[in-house]
Amino acid sequence: MKLDRLIAKHRQMGRTAALRAIAGRKVQVNGLVVADGYAEVDRFSDVTLDDEPVQVAERGLYLLMHKPVGWLSATKDAQHPTVLDLIDDPDKHTLHLAGRLDRNTSGLLILTNDGNWSKRLMAADFKVPKVYRVETDVPVPPEAVEAFARGFYFHTEDITTLPVKLEILGEHLARVTLHEGRYHQVKRMFHRVGCRVTALHRGSVGMLCLPEDLKPGEWREMTPEERQAALSSSESA
Ligand code: URA
């Protein structure tokens, strides 16, 4: 919300009066004077007018988790344990998922209560690379590299997948880098080249890598740098 609107709303004054107060340097956001009435403020900012609180900041939560196999990427489910069950933060009920992994996929998962930030992340989802380690039941055929780069047509959604980088690391082991997140995309692509995925692990989103010291089931708050890294691709960093 624009700062003048927020002041006007909480102090029952007109926007013109709010703009005047802001221009008169009477308003602070997170302890700093802001003189631009059209500055954007969210619910995670402290706002004061004449040193009196107008809005008290809510706690923003930005978590990264090492999702273990077997846990659902959901906030509640009647049958299966969800990743939220792994979190013991008092504000965990405010969290939502910024992207999902299948129940039998492990790796980097992001949770937040900041809808604006996750919206940016999901919009960036079609640009930032996501890297997966893939194990397969049979050897990955070498011609799969070109097929992944060309893209596959999925007729259920009537889409052709964007070019995917496939690196064959061993007979049953590969690394894929994709820039989108279609339903079961990795498994469906491998199925097209005659392989069943037996293990799938997401190692990074954008420039944000799953920290090596985070064991399956563990989570922690992101640093501001990590928050930025999740939105960045190597090309733009
Ligand atoms: N692709 C899949 O098939 N599963 C995932 O969990 C993520 C990407």
Side-chain angles (χ1 to χ4, degrees):
M1 184 187 295
K2 302 259 184 275
L3 185 56
D4 67 329
R5 253 189 87 198
L6 184 113
I7 300 282
K9 182 172 158 215
H10 287 274
R11 283 302 170 88
Q12 276 98 41
M13 57 166 77
R15 285 180 81 170
T16 312
L19 280 170
R20 209 176 301 123
I22 296 163
R25 307 181 67 77
K26 293 176 172 187
V27 172
Q28 295 192 358
V29 178
N30 296 328
L32 297 173
V33 171
V34 173
D36 174 9
Y38 302 114
E40 280 292 334
V41 277
D42 58 23
R43 62 186 212 278
F44 304 110
S45 301
D46 273 315
V47 180
T48 60
L49 169 61
D50 287 330
D51 297 323
E52 293 292 325
V54 173
Q55 170 179 277
V56 177
E58 279 178 44
R59 181 174 167 234
L61 278 177
Y62 307 86
L63 310 185
L64 52 85
M65 172 186 282
H66 186 160
K67 179 195 172 295
V69 167
W71 298 71
L72 264 197
S73 290
T75 49
K76 55 172 171 274
D77 187 81
Q79 281 179 343
H80 300 289
T82 74
V83 291
L84 215 62
D85 297 326
L86 295 164
I87 296 172
D88 58 5
D89 188 279
D91 292 325
K92 73 175 193 173
H93 60 280
T94 65
L95 290 167
H96 61 267
L97 288 147
R100 287 164 200 278
L101 292 173
D102 295 341
R103 189 153 72 93
N104 54 5
T105 300
S106 59
L108 178 58
L109 195 66
I110 296 171
L111 299 105
T112 182
N113 62 356
D114 182 347
N116 285 333
W117 181 78
S118 62
K119 226 183 272 163
R120 281 175 64 205
L121 187 65
M122 300 316 279
D125 202 39
F126 283 82
K127 291 184 218 98
V128 300
K130 276 152 287 174
V131 181
Y132 292 85
R133 195 189 65 228
V134 189
E135 291 176 38
T136 54
D137 59 343
V138 294
V140 183
E143 56 276 17
V145 174
E146 218 185 292
F148 276 49
R150 262 198 317 269
F152 295 99
Y153 177 70
F154 290 156
H155 92 95
T156 345
E157 299 100 320
D158 188 24
I159 50 116
T160 301
T161 54
L162 293 172
V164 169
K165 183 173 167 195
L166 167 66
E167 297 162 272
I168 300 177
L169 305 177
E171 270 224 318
H172 296 262
L173 184 65
R175 180 165 51 220
V176 292
T177 306
L178 36 142
H179 291 79
E180 56 187 341
R182 305 289 179 184
Y183 179 67
H184 293 330
Q185 183 170 345
V186 175
K187 290 173 189 160
R188 289 162 84 193
M189 289 188 305
F190 275 89
H191 185 251
R192 288 287 180 92
V193 295
C195 302
R196 192 171 62 82
V197 171
T198 54
L200 185 57
H201 177 87
R202 181 157 73 183
S204 62
V205 172
M207 297 290 283
L208 177 66
C209 295
L210 180 67
E212 276 182 18
D213 60 347
L214 214 58
K215 304 279 175 296
E218 290 184 347
W219 61 276
R220 67 163 168 75
E221 291 198 40
M222 289 184 195
T223 63
E225 292 74 29
E226 284 172 334
R227 252 149 71 183
Q228 192 49 46
L231 294 171
S232 315
S233 64
S234 50
E235 295 88 38
S236 63

